[in-house]
Amino acid sequence: PLTADMATCTRNVWKVLSGCQKQLLSAGGPSYSAVSQAAPRTLPIRTYAAVRALKKDKKEEAKKEEKKEKRVIDDKDRPKPFGKTAWVPVDDVYVKRFYARVIHSAADSIDMLKRFQKLDFTPADQPVYIDLKLDMKLEKKKKVDPFVSTVHLPHPFKTEMNKVLVFTEDSGQATFAKENGAAFVGGAELIQPILDDEISADFYVAVPDMLTKIVPLKNKLRKKFPKSKRGTVTNNISQALQLFKTGHEYQVESDCFVRTQIATLDMPSEQIFANLQAILTDVCSRRPASLGPFVERAIMSSQTSEAIWFRTESVLPEAAQTDEK
């Protein structure tokens, strides 16, 4: 009888435990044993409140709205440039190819080059160049011949004077040339030393009587060979020496381009502007003013900077501007 009572007790205990297990499982979550996959599942319900967002000060919001305000540019009077987004960018940072090219004044271009040098930590005494494209057309399908010119710059940037060689057989002219700073003076006896590279100069000046005697130097000197168009064939030796000892020479390259140095970047902005003005005035004097502006495009740059396009109208003197018009 004891064994029978113990078995009955154990069966009752197992029944109670199994009933409690079923209640715990049903209370803890849904049972999936007898539920099909197509039946809707119960979603969890949030029993806590969301944190309330803090309101920002009205002053901070007003400042942000002021910063977001974009610059309004009035371009109603002119059409949008072909293939570009607009004439002028609205933001400070933009992609260059989407907007029209910005052309600065000459004074602003010089200031920009000086700022670039400080930001890039490049040499302060680097050269400043200009690149001009000229309109060489004349009336009746004629063109301006490519020319070479020497200009007196108001503020020379070279530390040494140019070497000038004078061809003359006149003893009086030879003495005068030596007294006025000619590096070499002589006649036909200078031909062989020049061919042998024993003598070289920046400019070669000759009197008209010597042209036929120095023909063997034509292939050697090439562009430096004395020519009347360049002013290197003259009887006025004093004027020639005064010009070529301190003058700056430039020439037209590739039919219509002038590429030359005008100053060094460590010079004051006023001196760079004055040298630029002297060269542009001389360039524009090579074409009749009645045909319109001679310079089609002008670029300024230093040895390490990017190219800056600038307007030449503000550089030319008032007399030259009225002539150009």
Side-chain angles (χ1 to χ4, degrees), residues 5 32 66 69 102 154 160-161 163 189 191 212 226 233 243 246 261 278 310:
D5 292 337
Y32 298 100
E66 289 178 0
E69 287 182 1
V102 180
E160 298 180 357
M161 296 180 66
K163 292 182 180 180
E189 69 274 7
I191 294 177
T212 55
V233 178
L243 175 63
T246 58
Q261 183 181 352
F310 70 95

PDB file of all heavy atoms in Angstrom, residues 5 32 66 69 102 154 160-161 163 189 191 212 226 233 243 246 261 278 310:
ATOM      1  N   ASP A   5       0.639   4.393  -2.762  1.00  0.00           N
ATOM      2  CA  ASP A   5       0.388   5.794  -2.374  1.00  0.00           C
ATOM      3  C   ASP A   5       1.495   6.721  -2.884  1.00  0.00           C
ATOM      4  O   ASP A   5       1.252   7.838  -3.342  1.00  0.00           O
ATOM      5  CB  ASP A   5       0.311   5.907  -0.840  1.00  0.00           C
ATOM      6  CG  ASP A   5      -0.944   5.182  -0.291  1.00  0.00           C
ATOM      7  OD1 ASP A   5      -1.896   5.036  -1.104  1.00  0.00           O
ATOM      8  OD2 ASP A   5      -0.920   4.832   0.881  1.00  0.00           O
ATOM      9  N   TYR A  32       3.552  29.167 -30.426  1.00  0.00           N
ATOM     10  CA  TYR A  32       3.554  28.960 -31.880  1.00  0.00           C
ATOM     11  C   TYR A  32       3.398  27.485 -32.247  1.00  0.00           C
ATOM     12  O   TYR A  32       3.565  27.130 -33.392  1.00  0.00           O
ATOM     13  CB  TYR A  32       4.871  29.495 -32.492  1.00  0.00           C
ATOM     14  CG  TYR A  32       5.047  30.968 -32.296  1.00  0.00           C
ATOM     15  CD1 TYR A  32       5.865  31.444 -31.274  1.00  0.00           C
ATOM     16  CD2 TYR A  32       4.375  31.875 -33.113  1.00  0.00           C
ATOM     17  CE1 TYR A  32       6.026  32.796 -31.088  1.00  0.00           C
ATOM     18  CE2 TYR A  32       4.547  33.230 -32.923  1.00  0.00           C
ATOM     19  CZ  TYR A  32       5.369  33.687 -31.909  1.00  0.00           C
ATOM     20  OH  TYR A  32       5.517  35.029 -31.722  1.00  0.00           O
ATOM     21  N   GLU A  66      19.921  83.223 -41.015  1.00  0.00           N
ATOM     22  CA  GLU A  66      20.689  84.279 -41.677  1.00  0.00           C
ATOM     23  C   GLU A  66      21.840  83.693 -42.500  1.00  0.00           C
ATOM     24  O   GLU A  66      22.124  84.142 -43.598  1.00  0.00           O
ATOM     25  CB  GLU A  66      21.243  85.248 -40.637  1.00  0.00           C
ATOM     26  CG  GLU A  66      20.163  86.112 -39.991  1.00  0.00           C
ATOM     27  CD  GLU A  66      20.745  87.026 -38.926  1.00  0.00           C
ATOM     28  OE1 GLU A  66      21.970  86.961 -38.722  1.00  0.00           O
ATOM     29  OE2 GLU A  66      19.977  87.781 -38.305  1.00  0.00           O
ATOM     30  N   GLU A  69      20.742  82.163 -45.873  1.00  0.00           N
ATOM     31  CA  GLU A  69      20.279  83.063 -46.920  1.00  0.00           C
ATOM     32  C   GLU A  69      21.323  83.171 -48.021  1.00  0.00           C
ATOM     33  O   GLU A  69      22.480  83.477 -47.776  1.00  0.00           O
ATOM     34  CB  GLU A  69      20.004  84.456 -46.333  1.00  0.00           C
ATOM     35  CG  GLU A  69      18.748  84.494 -45.478  1.00  0.00           C
ATOM     36  CD  GLU A  69      18.479  85.897 -44.960  1.00  0.00           C
ATOM     37  OE1 GLU A  69      19.268  86.795 -45.307  1.00  0.00           O
ATOM     38  OE2 GLU A  69      17.498  86.085 -44.238  1.00  0.00           O
ATOM     39  N   VAL A 102      36.043  84.311 -64.626  1.00  0.00           N
ATOM     40  CA  VAL A 102      36.096  85.595 -63.928  1.00  0.00           C
ATOM     41  C   VAL A 102      37.321  86.374 -64.431  1.00  0.00           C
ATOM     42  O   VAL A 102      38.440  85.858 -64.407  1.00  0.00           O
ATOM     43  CB  VAL A 102      36.178  85.402 -62.401  1.00  0.00           C
ATOM     44  CG1 VAL A 102      36.229  86.745 -61.693  1.00  0.00           C
ATOM     45  CG2 VAL A 102      34.981  84.592 -61.913  1.00  0.00           C
ATOM     46  N   PRO A 154      59.847 101.641 -66.127  1.00  0.00           N
ATOM     47  CA  PRO A 154      60.037 102.627 -65.045  1.00  0.00           C
ATOM     48  C   PRO A 154      60.781 102.056 -63.852  1.00  0.00           C
ATOM     49  O   PRO A 154      61.483 102.787 -63.146  1.00  0.00           O
ATOM     50  CB  PRO A 154      58.602 103.029 -64.659  1.00  0.00           C
ATOM     51  CG  PRO A 154      57.698 102.394 -65.621  1.00  0.00           C
ATOM     52  CD  PRO A 154      58.448 101.393 -66.421  1.00  0.00           C
ATOM     53  N   GLU A 160      71.633  93.265 -63.230  1.00  0.00           N
ATOM     54  CA  GLU A 160      72.786  93.631 -64.045  1.00  0.00           C
ATOM     55  C   GLU A 160      72.325  94.316 -65.326  1.00  0.00           C
ATOM     56  O   GLU A 160      71.233  94.035 -65.843  1.00  0.00           O
ATOM     57  CB  GLU A 160      73.613  92.386 -64.395  1.00  0.00           C
ATOM     58  CG  GLU A 160      74.200  91.678 -63.181  1.00  0.00           C
ATOM     59  CD  GLU A 160      75.006  90.454 -63.586  1.00  0.00           C
ATOM     60  OE1 GLU A 160      75.047  90.158 -64.803  1.00  0.00           O
ATOM     61  OE2 GLU A 160      75.576  89.811 -62.692  1.00  0.00           O
ATOM     62  N   MET A 161      73.170  95.177 -65.849  1.00  0.00           N
ATOM     63  CA  MET A 161      72.860  95.860 -67.108  1.00  0.00           C
ATOM     64  C   MET A 161      73.120  94.929 -68.281  1.00  0.00           C
ATOM     65  O   MET A 161      73.944  94.007 -68.206  1.00  0.00           O
ATOM     66  CB  MET A 161      73.723  97.132 -67.244  1.00  0.00           C
ATOM     67  CG  MET A 161      73.440  98.174 -66.178  1.00  0.00           C
ATOM     68  SD  MET A 161      74.458  99.653 -66.360  1.00  0.00           S
ATOM     69  CE  MET A 161      73.848 100.290 -67.903  1.00  0.00           C
ATOM     70  N   LYS A 163      74.528  93.622 -71.794  1.00  0.00           N
ATOM     71  CA  LYS A 163      75.769  93.779 -72.541  1.00  0.00           C
ATOM     72  C   LYS A 163      75.453  94.181 -73.981  1.00  0.00           C
ATOM     73  O   LYS A 163      74.654  93.506 -74.643  1.00  0.00           O
ATOM     74  CB  LYS A 163      76.580  92.483 -72.530  1.00  0.00           C
ATOM     75  CG  LYS A 163      77.137  92.111 -71.163  1.00  0.00           C
ATOM     76  CD  LYS A 163      77.967  90.845 -71.259  1.00  0.00           C
ATOM     77  CE  LYS A 163      78.537  90.467 -69.912  1.00  0.00           C
ATOM     78  NZ  LYS A 163      79.357  89.213 -69.995  1.00  0.00           N
ATOM     79  N   GLU A 189      86.977  92.431 -87.204  1.00  0.00           N
ATOM     80  CA  GLU A 189      87.824  91.554 -86.380  1.00  0.00           C
ATOM     81  C   GLU A 189      87.040  90.842 -85.273  1.00  0.00           C
ATOM     82  O   GLU A 189      87.551  89.875 -84.668  1.00  0.00           O
ATOM     83  CB  GLU A 189      88.976  92.351 -85.755  1.00  0.00           C
ATOM     84  CG  GLU A 189      88.579  93.354 -84.691  1.00  0.00           C
ATOM     85  CD  GLU A 189      88.171  94.709 -85.266  1.00  0.00           C
ATOM     86  OE1 GLU A 189      88.076  94.811 -86.509  1.00  0.00           O
ATOM     87  OE2 GLU A 189      87.958  95.635 -84.467  1.00  0.00           O
ATOM     88  N   ILE A 191      84.207  89.244 -85.800  1.00  0.00           N
ATOM     89  CA  ILE A 191      83.377  88.186 -86.385  1.00  0.00           C
ATOM     90  C   ILE A 191      83.833  86.807 -85.914  1.00  0.00           C
ATOM     91  O   ILE A 191      83.028  85.986 -85.451  1.00  0.00           O
ATOM     92  CB  ILE A 191      83.406  88.280 -87.925  1.00  0.00           C
ATOM     93  CG1 ILE A 191      82.739  89.578 -88.371  1.00  0.00           C
ATOM     94  CG2 ILE A 191      82.691  87.078 -88.541  1.00  0.00           C
ATOM     95  CD1 ILE A 191      82.773  89.809 -89.869  1.00  0.00           C
ATOM     96  N   THR A 212      77.027  94.965 -94.468  1.00  0.00           N
ATOM     97  CA  THR A 212      77.534  94.041 -95.480  1.00  0.00           C
ATOM     98  C   THR A 212      78.742  93.253 -94.982  1.00  0.00           C
ATOM     99  O   THR A 212      79.009  92.143 -95.459  1.00  0.00           O
ATOM    100  CB  THR A 212      77.923  94.828 -96.743  1.00  0.00           C
ATOM    101  OG1 THR A 212      78.859  95.862 -96.405  1.00  0.00           O
ATOM    102  CG2 THR A 212      76.682  95.463 -97.376  1.00  0.00           C
ATOM    103  N   PRO A 226      71.692  92.570 -86.143  1.00  0.00           N
ATOM    104  CA  PRO A 226      71.218  93.969 -86.241  1.00  0.00           C
ATOM    105  C   PRO A 226      70.218  94.169 -87.377  1.00  0.00           C
ATOM    106  O   PRO A 226      70.435  93.741 -88.510  1.00  0.00           O
ATOM    107  CB  PRO A 226      72.513  94.746 -86.495  1.00  0.00           C
ATOM    108  CG  PRO A 226      73.590  93.893 -85.925  1.00  0.00           C
ATOM    109  CD  PRO A 226      73.162  92.481 -86.158  1.00  0.00           C
ATOM    110  N   VAL A 233      70.271  99.069 -85.973  1.00  0.00           N
ATOM    111  CA  VAL A 233      71.080  99.616 -87.071  1.00  0.00           C
ATOM    112  C   VAL A 233      70.873 101.131 -87.066  1.00  0.00           C
ATOM    113  O   VAL A 233      69.813 101.631 -87.448  1.00  0.00           O
ATOM    114  CB  VAL A 233      70.686  99.012 -88.431  1.00  0.00           C
ATOM    115  CG1 VAL A 233      71.526  99.644 -89.550  1.00  0.00           C
ATOM    116  CG2 VAL A 233      70.869  97.504 -88.417  1.00  0.00           C
ATOM    117  N   LEU A 243      69.230 103.041 -74.698  1.00  0.00           N
ATOM    118  CA  LEU A 243      68.043 102.203 -74.753  1.00  0.00           C
ATOM    119  C   LEU A 243      68.350 100.756 -74.411  1.00  0.00           C
ATOM    120  O   LEU A 243      67.686 100.139 -73.575  1.00  0.00           O
ATOM    121  CB  LEU A 243      67.415 102.288 -76.144  1.00  0.00           C
ATOM    122  CG  LEU A 243      66.219 101.363 -76.411  1.00  0.00           C
ATOM    123  CD1 LEU A 243      65.054 101.695 -75.490  1.00  0.00           C
ATOM    124  CD2 LEU A 243      65.804 101.448 -77.871  1.00  0.00           C
ATOM    125  N   THR A 246      69.683  99.363 -70.555  1.00  0.00           N
ATOM    126  CA  THR A 246      68.698  99.181 -69.479  1.00  0.00           C
ATOM    127  C   THR A 246      67.319  98.805 -69.997  1.00  0.00           C
ATOM    128  O   THR A 246      66.379  98.691 -69.205  1.00  0.00           O
ATOM    129  CB  THR A 246      68.583 100.482 -68.661  1.00  0.00           C
ATOM    130  OG1 THR A 246      68.193 101.551 -69.544  1.00  0.00           O
ATOM    131  CG2 THR A 246      69.900 100.823 -68.002  1.00  0.00           C
ATOM    132  N   GLN A 261      58.393  88.690 -69.216  1.00  0.00           N
ATOM    133  CA  GLN A 261      58.428  89.027 -67.797  1.00  0.00           C
ATOM    134  C   GLN A 261      58.291  90.536 -67.643  1.00  0.00           C
ATOM    135  O   GLN A 261      58.809  91.313 -68.446  1.00  0.00           O
ATOM    136  CB  GLN A 261      59.747  88.554 -67.181  1.00  0.00           C
ATOM    137  CG  GLN A 261      59.856  88.802 -65.689  1.00  0.00           C
ATOM    138  CD  GLN A 261      61.183  88.340 -65.120  1.00  0.00           C
ATOM    139  OE1 GLN A 261      61.971  87.702 -65.813  1.00  0.00           O
ATOM    140  NE2 GLN A 261      61.441  88.658 -63.853  1.00  0.00           N
ATOM    141  N   ALA A 278      53.659 100.296 -68.955  1.00  0.00           N
ATOM    142  CA  ALA A 278      54.634 100.686 -69.970  1.00  0.00           C
ATOM    143  C   ALA A 278      54.651  99.690 -71.131  1.00  0.00           C
ATOM    144  O   ALA A 278      54.688 100.086 -72.311  1.00  0.00           O
ATOM    145  CB  ALA A 278      56.016 100.791 -69.339  1.00  0.00           C
ATOM    146  N   PHE A 310      42.989  89.145 -66.748  1.00  0.00           N
ATOM    147  CA  PHE A 310      42.747  90.513 -66.292  1.00  0.00           C
ATOM    148  C   PHE A 310      42.365  91.400 -67.467  1.00  0.00           C
ATOM    149  O   PHE A 310      42.612  91.083 -68.638  1.00  0.00           O
ATOM    150  CB  PHE A 310      43.986  91.070 -65.566  1.00  0.00           C
ATOM    151  CG  PHE A 310      45.174  91.335 -66.458  1.00  0.00           C
ATOM    152  CD1 PHE A 310      45.409  92.603 -66.991  1.00  0.00           C
ATOM    153  CD2 PHE A 310      46.060  90.321 -66.780  1.00  0.00           C
ATOM    154  CE1 PHE A 310      46.501  92.848 -67.802  1.00  0.00           C
ATOM    155  CE2 PHE A 310      47.154  90.558 -67.595  1.00  0.00           C
ATOM    156  CZ  PHE A 310      47.366  91.827 -68.099  1.00  0.00           C
TER     157      PHE A 310
END
